[in-house]
Amino acid sequence: MYCFMCKVGLKSLIQICERKVIAVQDVFDISQFDEYREDNRREVKKANGGLPVSLWDTYSAFANCYGGVIILGVKEEKDGSWRTTGLQNEAKLRKDFWDTINNPKKVNINLLSDEDVKTYVVGENKDVVMVIYVPMAKREQKPVYINNDIFNGTFRRNYEGDYHCTRLQVKTMLRDQTERTMDMEVLDKVPMEDLNYETIHGYRNSHRTLKEGHPFERLNDHEYLRSIGAAAISEEDGQLHPTAAGMLMFGNEYNIVRHFPEYFLDYREELDSTIRWTDRLHSSSGEWSGNVCDFYFRVYNKLIKDIKIPFKMVGGERVDDTPVHKALREALANCLINADYHGVRGVVIRKEPDKIIFANPGYVRTGKKQMRLGGESDPRNKSLMKMFNLINIGERAGSGVPNIFNVWEDEGFIEPEIEERFDPDRTVLSLPFVKKATEKSDGKKTTEKSDRKKVTKKTQEQYEKILAFMKPDIWYKANELVEVLGVKETRTKELLRALVSDEKLEDNGATKGKRYKKR
């Protein structure tokens, strides 16, 4: 189908393309078109000699990440701008495309319909371009791979382009295909005695206190563990054995690592820059059980020890729980529930002077944007989620992360940040305890440090240097301002973030390749 736009430029073409993508995938924001060029959610290819071989790498990469748009008949110039080159034989190119994408020896799955491939005639030269909208594959469709080779033909997208997935990443996608999550596996060779019953009894006490009279209360330990998903009858010998979730939640670290060799839980307090850490707790120390349940309670108590509790009475009793406490419980549980315990680097919680960072192995199964919006729950470990829910920790409705953002907004803190990293897969949630800048009575604004004191004279001079250097309507990267300020890039980013909070600058919303400009 042709759309003849004799007087329409390339940017108008992209606006039309973007409206389609927003309607179908809700991926792009056309108002940020110029800033999105470098985040690789779109790809342009000349296609002068037919379908580019690299097209299929990009198809796989987009499908295995968040989707994207491929435009054939366009060249990217050195400065990042796009120039149309046109297509010599659009009809043949289109036929070749559909023949190839429907060939299972080339592409294992076709995610596209006729509506996802459009042809346009652009500009005064009437250059023909083809626009291909690639959706994000569903969890059960991944990995999307090419050349009938799942381990060498699976790609993902990063900020440098398409890259081959590792065997570990492919295996993670295969594990995530099924409705039965990894933690439901029955460990047929493991006796029930391998679990830590001190942890189990502590958990049962919490459950009993929170839900007095619950039907599970009268069960013996083995029946109780079976009821909550921590144990199951093996099809192999007909006996009761721990599940993977039971081992993770209630096992001892030295037993857990036999089934999850990469298992590692780590909490670090980095409150003093002069020493490596002021407090540390990790699962392999041998000083405690090292399981998920004990880690949760030990770490939560460390996280909240500096949280101020306002005086509040309900029914004649003081309430020592605040929305911030609840948000921290949700963040910690979410990190543990969605961790890929076969993934590398383990779970790491870092408490810094002005923020807490929760990092777990594994990509976001619903996608980062859906995680932020909520309403769709797809935990990586459903049995672990059930166990946390039974003691009133965690949300089943997919509303946990949005609630955290709402609490931070209500408290006046800078908005939390979700970062998804690949190779290796990792999800990072940062919760800053830095107040947004507020207006003074005279109408001027002030920027606050993490300790909420006014900025120093030196910092104010650095702010002024940034604002004086930046020209209106031009986007800058942090590294472009390093020489201007004469400080390290990390310090430059801190200054830029503060100016964004102060509404003197705005950023493009990207996690990597972030840019800033004057408001």
Side-chain angles (χ1 to χ4, degrees):
M1 184 180 79
Y2 289 88
C3 177
F4 292 92
M5 301 177 291
C6 295
K7 296 184 179 180
V8 178
L10 180 59
K11 187 163 185 175
S12 297
L13 160 70
I14 301 305
Q15 290 174 337
I16 292 169
C17 298
E18 290 296 336
R19 284 195 290 272
K20 168 71 175 177
V21 175
I22 289 170
V24 177
Q25 293 290 351
D26 193 23
V27 169
F28 298 103
D29 180 354
I30 187 58
S31 68
Q32 297 191 33
F33 166 75
D34 292 328
E35 295 74 58
Y36 271 150
R37 282 187 303 176
E38 293 193 352
D39 75 357
N40 282 326
R41 300 302 300 280
R42 67 203 73 206
E43 177 85 2
V44 296
K45 300 178 185 291
K46 291 189 292 184
N48 287 340
L51 291 176
V53 174
S54 63
L55 183 151
W56 304 110
D57 299 359
T58 303
Y59 170 80
S60 168
F62 279 151
N64 288 322
C65 283
Y66 293 122
V69 69
I70 304 170
I71 304 176
L72 304 182
V74 177
K75 178 184 178 182
E76 184 174 24
E77 303 286 20
K78 290 182 178 180
D79 63 358
S81 63
W82 293 354
R83 176 173 63 83
T84 58
T85 57
L87 303 174
Q88 300 302 316
N89 189 337
E90 182 273 332
K92 183 178 184 304
L93 203 69
R94 177 183 284 262
K95 183 179 185 304
D96 289 346
F97 175 80
W98 285 115
D99 286 346
T100 306
I101 201 170
N102 286 309
N103 177 1
K105 292 184 178 180
K106 182 62 183 179
V107 181
N108 75 310
I109 183 171
N110 174 16
L111 301 171
L112 309 186
S113 64
D114 289 344
E115 290 298 308
D116 295 319
V117 180
K118 299 290 184 183
T119 306
Y120 298 90
V121 175
V122 185
E124 295 181 359
N125 294 331
K126 296 185 178 180
D127 288 325
V128 179
V129 299
M130 182 183 293
V131 181
I132 303 165
Y133 307 96
V134 182
M136 172 182 167
K138 297 177 181 178
R139 170 173 51 81
E140 56 269 23
Q141 294 171 323
K142 296 178 182 178
V144 175
Y145 58 92
I146 63 173
N147 299 331
N148 206 25
D149 189 340
I150 191 170
F151 287 111
N152 293 310
T154 300
F155 292 81
R156 268 194 178 152
R157 194 77 169 172
N158 64 15
Y159 288 85
E160 286 73 45
D162 309 322
Y163 72 92
H164 278 100
C165 289
T166 63
R167 293 181 72 88
L168 178 61
Q169 288 174 317
V170 174
K171 288 179 179 179
T172 299
M173 286 187 259
L174 290 171
R175 283 196 302 270
D176 284 343
Q177 283 182 349
T178 63
E179 288 303 315
R180 286 182 57 84
T181 56
M182 171 276 303
D183 65 336
M184 295 179 182
E185 178 190 358
V186 181
L187 305 181
D188 300 301
K189 306 297 183 184
V190 180
M192 295 296 292
E193 291 70 30
D194 275 6
L195 298 180
N196 185 311
Y197 283 83
E198 184 177 343
T199 302
I200 292 168
H201 294 154
Y203 175 90
R204 293 198 68 171
N205 286 336
S206 296
H207 190 192
R208 188 179 298 111
T209 301
L210 292 165
K211 297 183 178 179
E212 187 176 352
H214 192 280
F216 294 172
E217 190 175 301
R218 298 188 180 188
L219 301 176
N220 64 39
D221 284 343
H222 284 191
E223 291 171 338
Y224 181 83
L225 293 171
R226 185 179 179 185
S227 297
I228 68 173
I233 298 294
S234 167
E235 294 181 1
E236 187 173 302
D237 62 7
Q239 300 299 311
L240 191 67
H241 294 275
T243 60
M247 179 57 68
L248 288 165
M249 194 76 165
F250 303 121
N252 292 302
E253 186 270 346
Y254 53 82
N255 282 322
I256 297 173
V257 295
R258 291 169 58 194
H259 309 284
F260 301 93
E262 299 293 341
Y263 176 85
F264 186 65
L265 308 177
D266 192 6
Y267 170 78
R268 306 169 186 173
E269 279 187 12
E270 301 173 359
L271 304 180
D272 186 340
S273 60
T274 62
I275 57 178
R276 193 173 182 184
W277 49 67
T278 51
D279 187 16
R280 191 180 184 199
L281 174 78
H282 59 91
S283 56
S284 60
S285 68
E287 298 171 350
W288 59 289
S289 68
N291 59 45
V292 168
C293 184
D294 288 343
F295 181 79
Y296 171 86
F297 286 105
R298 286 169 179 250
V299 169
Y300 174 69
N301 288 327
K302 291 176 181 292
L303 293 178
I304 65 170
K305 65 183 179 183
D306 299 319
I307 303 298
K308 293 182 179 179
I309 302 175
F311 185 81
K312 182 180 179 182
M313 300 289 289
V314 175
E317 294 184 0
R318 180 173 179 177
V319 178
D320 290 337
D321 204 19
T322 70
V324 174
H325 286 79
K326 294 175 183 177
L328 289 175
R329 288 199 295 272
E330 182 64 38
L332 180 55
N334 185 75
C335 180
L336 294 168
I337 289 167
N338 289 291
D340 177 5
Y341 290 101
H342 290 289
V344 298
R345 299 188 183 176
V347 171
V348 179
I349 316 296
R350 291 207 326 268
K351 184 177 182 181
E352 299 181 1
D354 59 351
K355 62 184 172 182
I356 299 174
I357 301 168
F358 302 85
N360 63 268
Y363 61 89
V364 183
R365 281 163 54 112
T366 60
K368 185 172 72 172
K369 187 167 186 178
Q370 186 62 51
M371 176 184 176
R372 170 65 181 89
L373 293 173
E376 183 178 327
S377 179
D378 188 17
R380 178 167 275 110
N381 298 291
K382 290 182 180 178
S383 293
L384 285 182
M385 171 175 267
K386 177 182 178 180
M387 294 178 206
F388 277 111
N389 290 164
L390 284 170
I391 53 175
N392 294 345
I393 298 168
E395 295 283 348
R396 291 193 69 93
S399 58
V401 172
N403 286 343
I404 294 170
F405 276 73
N406 291 339
V407 169
W408 251 241
E409 175 68 25
D410 293 343
E411 294 293 326
F413 294 135
I414 294 173
E415 186 174 85
E417 182 178 6
I418 301 170
E419 182 182 358
E420 190 174 25
R421 302 171 187 170
F422 299 113
D423 196 24
D425 296 344
R426 202 154 183 80
T427 303
V428 183
L429 172 65
S430 299
L431 302 182
F433 286 89
V434 179
K435 288 284 189 178
K436 295 178 182 177
T438 56
E439 291 190 6
K440 284 185 174 181
S441 57
D442 62 359
K444 295 182 180 180
K445 294 184 178 181
T446 183
T447 305
E448 296 183 355
K449 281 188 171 181
S450 58
D451 62 1
R452 301 177 191 175
K453 294 180 181 179
K454 292 180 181 179
V455 299
T456 64
K457 181 179 179 182
K458 182 177 180 180
T459 299
Q460 187 60 44
E461 289 174 353
Q462 289 171 330
Y463 290 152
E464 291 170 0
K465 280 185 181 180
I466 292 172
L467 296 172
F469 177 79
M470 296 177 77
K471 297 178 181 178
D473 299 321
I474 295 179
W475 292 87
Y476 295 85
K477 291 183 179 179
N479 58 18
E480 296 178 70
L481 297 161
V482 170
E483 291 186 8
V484 175
L485 298 170
V487 297
K488 293 182 179 180
E489 188 171 343
T490 52
R491 172 58 178 163
T492 302
K493 288 180 178 178
E494 288 178 6
L495 295 167
L496 290 168
R497 282 196 296 268
L499 287 171
V500 170
S501 299
D502 204 22
E503 297 185 2
K504 292 180 179 177
L505 299 180
E506 61 178 296
D507 64 46
N508 61 1
T511 303
K512 294 184 179 179
K514 190 181 287 291
R515 293 169 177 254
Y516 306 82
K517 76 173 181 179
K518 279 186 177 181
R519 284 187 178 274

